[in-house]
Structures are given as structure tokens and as C-alpha cells.
Amino acid sequence: MADALSSIPAAVLRNLADKLYEKRKNAALEIENIVKQLAANGDHDKIAAVINLLTTEYTYSPQANHRKGGLIGLAAATVGLTSEAAQHLEQIVPPVLNSFSDQDSRVRYYACEALYNIAKVVRGDFIVFFNQIFDALCKLSADSDANVQSAAHLLDRLVKDIVTESDQFSIEEFIPLLRERMNVLNPYVRQFLVGWITVLDSVPDIDMLGFLPDFLDGLFNMLSDSSHEIRQQADSALSEFLQEIKNSPSVDYGRMAEILVQRAGSSDEFTRLTAITWINEFVKLGGDQLVPYYADILGAILPCISDKEEKIRVVARETNEELRAIKADPAEAFDVEAILSIARRQLSSEWEATRIEALHWISTLLNNYRTEVLQFLNDIFDTLLKALSDSSDEVVLLVLDVHACIAKDLQHFRQLVVFLVHNFRVDNTLLEKRGALIIRRLCVLLNAERVYRELSTILEGESDLDFALIMVQALNLILLTSSELSEIRVLLKQSLVNPAGKDLYVSLYASWCHSPMAIISLCFLAQTYQHASVVIQSLVEEDINVKFLVQLDKLIRLLETPVFAYLRLQLLEPGRYTWLFKALYGLLMLLPQQSAAFKILQTRLKAVPSYSFNGEQLKKISSGNPYQFLHHMSGGSQITEDGDVFMDSGNSHNGINFVARLQQFQQMQQQHREHFRTQARTRRNSTSLLKEEAQKQEEPRRPHLSELYVPPRSSKRAS
């Protein structure tokens, strides 16, 4: 201290703390000259003493003017030292940095000025303090005083120049400092950080791309800033980095992919678009590096396919196609289960486009990795079944495509049909709204005959008779009306001459027994008119109810459709198709005369030419066992069903035992009648109980006998 006091005149020290800037400035010039002289003499001990005096007595002084003077003095001393200043920086820089947090804005301003002058002198030697200086500048960039901000910006530009020309700058030490501040929300700090990232990235010797994962999330965070300028700067920096990635042979795609996936779900539209654009480029460039992240990437892409912004939808769809076209090996970290899980989860999306693409992914996985997918079938099967109730027809059709792909194996085929019937049972709406679509599509994809045989087998043993009735009626209507089932109809028409047709007829018959109208329709389709007539004759009073008449009305109207054109043409040959006439007249007799169906059928039957009737024929079939009716034709052959010629007689035609079939039908109908009676009794009992309860509430309570008894009054006898 004594050396310093002896070196600096008292007047200079006094002026250094003066309230007037000019006096402090002149004092600083005096100190500069003194230090310069001491440096020329090599008296560094006295120089150290002068710096110590300026630090302890001035920069750390409680008086603001002293602190201002101390800062100017330290800068002057550095200028005086010139090339020899580096050895004294440990003394000079820390008190200046400390002044950046001073409560007095003017002190902070002079600290910026002082450090600026110091940095101009020492240049590269200044780098040793870079991290502390960067931290201070980061804070000053958001200073409340505009003058301090302006001074900090000047200092910041100088520091950037020094860093870009220095070979001592350590990017490894800087990155943690940058990463810590990337999520700061202050707009001035954000501008400051983006500025530094851009400057450092422009330096050829500094590999900012290698450290991009450390601050990439922060840059994306800035894309949603309220300031247009900050958004623009962040976007510009990201665009530059993306271009570098395209040109770089070595990039850490994995870590960045995780960040992009998160940002693709941002609520900010611009952030989502940028993230999905990056993902698109990564999918094209990343190759094997991205295989472990495919599931996460898919989880980001699928929601964006339904984004409200068209640009995002376009990029997301392109990325989705690129990703799906890649064929990776499950042995090389390609996680089929994870991707399947993502697709399954997205099936619950509120957006149709996303659900559709999720189904495309499941289908792709089944085609490319069938064995692996089937291992996780239990995880997705229930979701796929629920998707059959989707509001979108396109989604339902795609779900059925997936189901059909799974059901290529016999085991999975039966499982599908069993679960499908179960879903129809528990969800009547599904059967009502989607039943026809589902059944028809499955018939196209999985062979109509196979599907119908399996459904019939399941429904034959169905314990819920009400559901079985509804289901069979639905299947019968589809069979009679759908173009997809035309081959089945052709096969059934040959039931009396073709073994394959006969097998199908017998298979369907077992479950069609649940519905009289379904059986009659099946008989008309198979041209087993004699049996149809017998079935009609077997119906009892209980069977002829409103539901029956509704189904009969539908059948009569269906008889007028092209499907039954062959049947209507057969009416032109009454002599040959006598049993057909008897069956149709039987139906006519069951219909109310005032109904539209009665008039339709009656009109059709009246159109038959009367000259072709053979009265003797009709007389023969009007009584007795219809299965004993045989027409002897020329050559000794016999007709057992209308229009079909066979050589064998009896009740079995082409292996069809119609007597056994009739018994099967009657037994099933008896079960339905008993079930109906049980339901009726239950309803009556419930109604009776409700009436009794209502009566009890309405009737007044009857008093107990003890309540009615009134004891006689006591009286005194005369003594």
C-alpha cells in the first residue's frame, strides 16, 4: 500500500474519486502514465501495489464515485501495461467482473467500459476468463438500464471477435454454460444466446454441430417466443444447422431425435412444423442410427398427419411414407412391439386420418414381420375389435383388412369369428350399424363360404336365443342381397345336384333353424321347394307373431329382386315346380289380406298362366306325406324335388335327409317357443308385482284388532 501511495500523488487519488467524470478521467490518465513508467522500469511489485490499491480502496468501496474511479483506474493501468498486462490480469479482471452486479447502474456501465478497454489491450489472454465474462454478459443483456445494455452489447461484440480469432477457446467448457441458460425466457437473454450460437457455429475450428443435442431443445423452445425477431433468429440458426447435418458424414441422430419427437407435439404451430421437417430429413438421412427410435418417431408423426395446418400434414404424410418404406431387421434393435404399441394407441385418436395410418402400419408390420406381430396379438386384438365400431367406414374396412391378414391361419380365423360374434352379442348397435359391412368385407377377404360356415357353426350352439335369431336374420339378409355372396348363392342353387352345394346347405341349415323365415329363404335359394312347403306347414300359432310377419314381408319383397329372378321364371312351369307354388301359396295364406306383401305376392301368382296347371298334380300333393310324393317320368326316373331328377327314391335327396332336417328345425323352434313363454311369464310376474306394490301404497292401513278394542268406563256402585 505504501509503495502505491508513494507512486501516485494524493491529488490524483483524490480526483479519481471525484463526482465529476472529467476529473476521474484525468486522474486515470495520470495512473496510466505512472503504470507505464513502472512497467518500463520493470517494477512489477509497485504495479501490483497500485492495482491492489485501486481494487481495495476504490472498486470495493461503499462510495459509488470511488467504485467508478477504481474501474477507470484499473482500465488505465491495463492500458499502461500494454503487452505486459497479461501477468496482472488475475488482479485486474475479478473486481471488474464483480462490479457487473453492482446496485448502481452507472457503476455497471463503467464496469462494461472498463472491461472493454481491458479486453482491447489483452485480446487472446482474455480467454482464460471467458466463462465468467459470458455469465456476466448474459445477465447484463437483460439489464433494466438501457445504457448498461448498450455498453454490454459493445463489450459482447468485442468478446465475440476475440473468441473467433483465438485458438485457446474451449468449446467443451462453454457448452455446459450455454445449456444451463437455453431455457431462460427473457427475450434479451435469448437474443444474446442465439447470437453466440450463430457466431461460434461460423468459426471453422469450432464444432458446434457435435454439441447440437445439448442446446437443440432450447433453440426449438425459442421458436414459440412472442418476439418475431427471436423466432426468426432461432429459425435461421436451426436452418443453418440442418443444412450442416445434410452435409456432415457423422451426426448424432439419436439424441436429437428424442428432442424432435417431443417438439413435434408442441402446441405452437411453427415449432411443430419445424420439428416435423427435421424428422423428415432425419428419416431420409439417419439410416440405421434411427432404428431404435422408429417407434418414438412414429408416435410423433401419426398425430401430425391430422394437424389443422396443411403444411404440417403434408410433411407428416411424406415422412410417414418414408418411414414405412424402410425395412429393418428386428435383430438390429428394430422394436416391433414398440411400434405396434404406438399404432394401437393411435387407433384411439379422435382424428380419422391418424387412425387410418395407424391401421396401415399394423398391416405393414403384419406383412413384413408376421411372426413377431402374432407374438403380441393379445395386446392389440381387443383394440382392433373395438375399432370395428368406429364412426368411419374407411377405418372399419381397414380394420377388417388387418383382421383378415391375421386370420390367414386357421386358429386365428376361428378366434376372429368367435370374438366377432361375441362383440355383436354385447353390442347390438355394432350389429345394426356395421354388421352388414363387416360380414360382407370379411367374405371378400376370407372366402365367403368359409366365413358363413364358421358363423353357422358358432350360432348353432348359441345359448342366447334372442341374439341367435337376430344374427341369423341379419346373415340371411346379407346372403340374399349382397353381391359379395353371389358365388355362395350359385352354389346353394345346386344343393340338390352338387355335393359342395349340399354340404353348404346342410351347414347353414343348422343355425338358420333359429329363424323360420331364414329357413324358408334358404330353401327357396337352394330350390328345395318341397321342404319349404313342409316347413311352412309345420308352423304353429305361436310362430305367427308380429316379428314373423315383418320378416315375411321382407322375404316377399326380396322375391321381387333380381336374386330370385330364376324363381319367378320357374312360375311359368307350374307343372314342373308344383311344390314352389304350394310354398308360395302357403306364405300367401299366412299374410294379412290388407298387407302390401299380400298384394305383391298375390299379384305375382295371378300372373302365372292358368293353362299350365295340372289339376291332378295339385290334388296328389294336397294331402298325405309330402316326402312320399314322386312323379314317374319317362325312362323310369323320379322327381323328388321340383325340377330335379334323381334315380334314388325315399326321403334323402343328394344325401340330404329332409326328414332329419325338419326334425332339427322343429326342435330348435320348440326351444324358441319355450324361451318366449318363459319371457312372457317373467314379464307377467314383474307386472303383477308392480301392481301389488302400487295397490299397497294406495290402500289405507287396516287397524289391528287390539286397536279397535275400547275398554268400558269405570263407575262407582251405590253403597
Side-chain angles (χ1 to χ4, degrees):
M1 184 69 73
D3 289 342
L5 291 172
S6 64
S7 302
I8 304 174
V12 173
L13 293 174
R14 187 169 56 253
N15 287 337
L16 194 61
D18 198 276
K19 64 179 180 179
L20 295 176
Y21 171 72
E22 287 298 325
K23 288 187 176 182
R24 293 196 302 272
K25 181 181 178 182
N26 291 330
L29 291 173
E30 291 291 336
I31 291 173
E32 177 186 338
N33 291 328
I34 292 169
V35 170
K36 189 181 292 184
Q37 187 62 44
L38 291 172
N41 297 332
D43 198 346
H44 285 280
D45 290 336
K46 284 188 177 182
I47 293 173
V50 169
I51 294 171
N52 185 54
L53 173 66
L54 293 171
T55 301
T56 56
E57 297 298 323
Y58 287 87
T59 58
Y60 291 129
S61 169
Q63 300 296 322
N65 289 329
H66 279 68
R67 298 197 297 275
K68 295 173 188 175
L71 289 167
I72 297 175
L74 288 173
T78 306
V79 174
L81 284 166
T82 58
S83 61
E84 298 181 47
Q87 59 185 303
H88 295 283
L89 285 179
E90 290 290 345
Q91 278 184 285
I92 296 171
V93 174
V96 178
L97 292 174
N98 182 68
S99 299
F100 282 143
S101 57
D102 198 284
Q103 292 183 349
D104 191 321
S105 62
R106 296 304 296 167
V107 173
R108 297 197 300 275
Y109 175 85
Y110 283 117
C112 291
E113 186 182 72
L115 195 58
Y116 182 89
N117 290 324
I118 293 168
K120 281 179 67 177
V121 174
V122 297
R123 302 297 291 186
D125 295 325
F126 188 66
I127 294 298
V128 68
F129 298 100
F130 176 77
N131 284 2
Q132 297 96 305
I133 294 170
F134 180 84
D135 181 56
L137 286 172
C138 187
K139 293 173 182 176
L140 289 174
S141 64
D143 199 279
S144 58
D145 188 281
N147 291 325
V148 175
Q149 278 192 19
S150 179
H153 289 160
L154 288 173
L155 175 60
D156 180 52
R157 284 202 291 270
L158 177 61
V159 174
K160 285 174 180 172
D161 290 341
I162 293 171
V163 167
T164 55
E165 66 187 25
S166 172
D167 57 359
Q168 299 177 25
F169 176 73
S170 174
I171 186 66
E172 291 81 4
E173 293 179 10
F174 169 70
I175 289 298
L177 204 64
L178 177 65
R179 185 173 57 238
E180 289 174 8
R181 290 157 176 77
M182 284 304 293
N183 290 321
V184 173
L185 298 178
N186 187 286
Y188 298 108
V189 175
R190 284 185 162 183
Q191 281 185 310
F192 170 79
L193 295 173
V194 175
W196 268 99
I197 291 170
T198 305
V199 166
L200 292 177
D201 186 48
S202 66
V203 180
D205 295 335
I206 298 177
D207 181 23
M208 283 294 281
L209 184 60
F211 294 95
L212 181 56
D214 291 287
F215 55 88
L216 179 64
D217 189 62
L219 282 174
F220 267 93
N221 199 26
M222 294 179 191
L223 291 176
S224 58
D225 196 278
S226 58
S227 167
H228 174 72
E229 187 177 357
I230 293 173
R231 292 198 304 271
Q232 198 171 38
Q233 288 178 354
D235 180 49
S236 177
L238 285 167
S239 298
E240 186 62 33
F241 278 119
L242 185 57
Q243 190 59 45
E244 290 177 30
I245 288 171
K246 293 178 182 179
N247 299 328
S248 175
S250 177
V251 178
D252 184 0
Y253 290 101
R255 284 180 62 196
M256 289 189 284
E258 294 177 356
I259 296 167
L260 297 174
V261 165
Q262 293 296 322
R263 289 297 170 181
S266 170
S267 58
D268 178 68
E269 183 181 297
F270 187 46
T271 303
R272 290 199 308 277
L273 176 59
T274 307
I276 205 71
T277 302
W278 274 61
I279 291 174
N280 179 270
E281 294 297 337
F282 274 31
V283 169
K284 295 175 181 176
L285 301 169
D288 295 340
Q289 280 194 54
L290 284 177
V291 170
Y293 302 95
Y294 276 3
D296 293 334
I297 291 173
L298 181 62
I301 292 171
L302 289 178
C304 288
I305 286 174
S306 302
D307 200 278
K308 61 183 179 181
E309 174 57 43
E310 185 180 0
K311 291 180 181 178
I312 297 175
R313 293 198 302 271
V314 170
V315 179
R317 285 189 178 279
E318 180 185 332
T319 309
N320 183 56
E321 295 302 322
E322 292 276 352
L323 193 64
R324 198 161 57 218
I326 298 172
K327 292 185 178 180
D329 188 348
E332 298 177 358
F334 182 73
D335 194 341
V336 173
E337 182 183 11
I339 294 176
L340 201 59
S341 177
I342 291 292
R344 177 185 60 80
R345 188 162 65 244
Q346 292 300 330
L347 278 178
S348 302
S349 168
E350 62 178 308
W351 306 109
E352 179 184 351
T354 295
R355 299 196 300 275
I356 288 172
E357 289 307 319
L359 286 166
H360 281 313
W361 265 98
I362 295 175
S363 182
T364 299
L365 291 173
L366 272 168
N367 290 330
N368 296 339
Y369 312 99
R370 181 177 180 82
T371 304
E372 290 80 2
V373 171
L374 292 181
Q375 291 176 4
F376 309 109
L377 184 59
N378 291 336
D379 297 335
I380 64 168
F381 199 75
D382 189 52
T383 304
L384 287 172
L385 283 174
K386 289 179 181 177
L388 291 172
S389 301
D390 198 278
S391 57
S392 164
D393 284 353
E394 187 175 356
V395 170
V396 173
L397 291 174
L398 284 172
V399 171
L400 291 170
D401 287 348
V402 172
H403 276 302
C405 189
I406 295 171
K408 288 178 181 177
D409 304 326
L410 182 60
Q411 170 195 352
H412 295 123
F413 171 75
R414 178 159 181 80
Q415 183 184 20
L416 167 62
V417 180
V418 168
F419 274 97
L420 189 59
V421 171
H422 171 73
N423 273 28
F424 284 146
R425 186 188 302 111
V426 299
D427 185 0
N428 290 330
T429 306
L430 177 63
L431 178 59
E432 181 183 341
K433 293 184 177 180
R434 286 279 187 269
L437 177 66
I438 292 170
I439 299 299
R440 289 168 59 188
R441 186 61 181 170
L442 284 180
C443 286
V444 171
L445 297 170
L446 293 173
N447 183 282
E449 182 181 349
R450 184 185 179 198
V451 171
Y452 260 68
R453 281 179 180 273
E454 192 63 41
L455 285 167
S456 181
T457 301
I458 294 169
L459 291 171
E460 181 183 357
E462 177 60 50
S463 58
D464 186 343
L465 295 180
D466 291 331
F467 166 71
L469 174 63
I470 295 170
M471 188 72 191
V472 166
Q473 288 173 348
L475 290 173
N476 183 61
L477 185 61
I478 296 168
L479 174 63
L480 296 177
T481 58
S482 299
S483 59
E484 294 87 348
L485 278 79
S486 59
E487 292 183 7
I488 287 189
R489 292 195 294 269
V490 170
L491 189 59
L492 283 170
K493 287 177 187 176
Q494 303 170 12
S495 297
L496 295 173
V497 295
N498 186 327
K502 180 264 295 183
D503 289 343
L504 178 58
Y505 176 81
V506 172
S507 175
L508 296 183
Y509 195 102
S511 61
W512 259 236
C513 286
H514 283 291
S515 168
M517 275 305 105
I519 280 292
I520 295 168
S521 302
L522 184 64
C523 290
F524 283 165
L525 204 55
Q527 303 185 70
T528 57
Y529 302 131
Q530 183 179 354
H531 187 66
S533 178
V534 173
V535 168
I536 294 169
Q537 295 289 339
S538 72
L539 297 174
V540 298
E541 181 182 344
E542 286 181 82
D543 300 328
I544 317 299
N545 52 35
V546 175
K547 292 182 179 178
F548 173 88
L549 292 175
V550 169
Q551 292 299 314
L552 178 53
D553 183 278
K554 289 182 179 178
L555 175 59
I556 298 304
R557 295 176 189 278
L558 284 171
L559 291 176
E560 297 297 315
T561 63
V563 171
F564 285 105
Y566 68 92
L567 182 148
R568 298 196 299 276
L569 290 172
Q570 288 170 353
L571 294 176
L572 295 174
E573 301 180 73
R576 186 179 180 189
Y577 296 99
T578 315
W579 287 110
L580 171 59
F581 273 90
K582 187 165 186 181
L584 291 176
Y585 271 106
L587 293 179
L588 187 67
M589 295 304 107
L590 296 176
L591 285 166
Q593 290 190 49
Q594 300 304 317
S595 66
F598 180 89
K599 294 175 182 177
I600 292 171
L601 183 55
Q602 185 185 44
T603 303
R604 176 61 65 186
L605 290 172
K606 282 182 178 179
V608 177
S610 58
Y611 62 82
S612 56
F613 280 104
N614 184 327
E616 191 63 28
Q617 274 186 345
L618 295 178
K619 183 178 178 182
K620 286 183 179 180
I621 66 170
S622 63
S623 62
N625 183 353
Y627 287 117
Q628 297 300 322
F629 172 74
L630 300 172
H631 291 291
H632 295 275
M633 299 185 66
S634 60
S637 60
Q638 302 168 334
I639 298 180
T640 58
E641 281 284 347
D642 286 351
D644 294 298
V645 181
F646 301 95
M647 297 306 298
D648 55 332
S649 62
N651 299 328
S652 180
H653 315 305
N654 191 26
I656 302 176
N657 188 335
F658 284 107
V659 173
R661 298 284 77 76
L662 180 62
Q663 291 174 351
Q664 187 179 23
F665 170 73
Q666 290 175 329
Q667 289 171 1
M668 182 63 75
Q669 286 306 301
Q670 187 59 34
Q671 290 182 36
H672 277 271
R673 292 173 194 134
E674 291 173 1
H675 174 66
F676 179 77
R677 291 171 195 148
T678 302
Q679 285 184 322
R681 282 196 299 271
T682 303
R683 284 195 296 270
R684 284 196 298 270
N685 291 338
S686 299
T687 305
S688 298
L689 287 172
L690 289 172
K691 286 181 178 179
E692 288 177 11
E693 288 294 326
Q695 287 174 358
K696 286 180 181 179
Q697 291 176 5
E698 291 174 4
E699 292 178 3
R701 188 177 68 87
R702 295 181 180 180
H704 192 268
L705 184 61
S706 60
E707 296 174 346
L708 296 174
Y709 174 71
V710 179
R713 294 180 181 176
S714 59
S715 59
K716 293 183 180 180
R717 294 184 180 181
S719 53

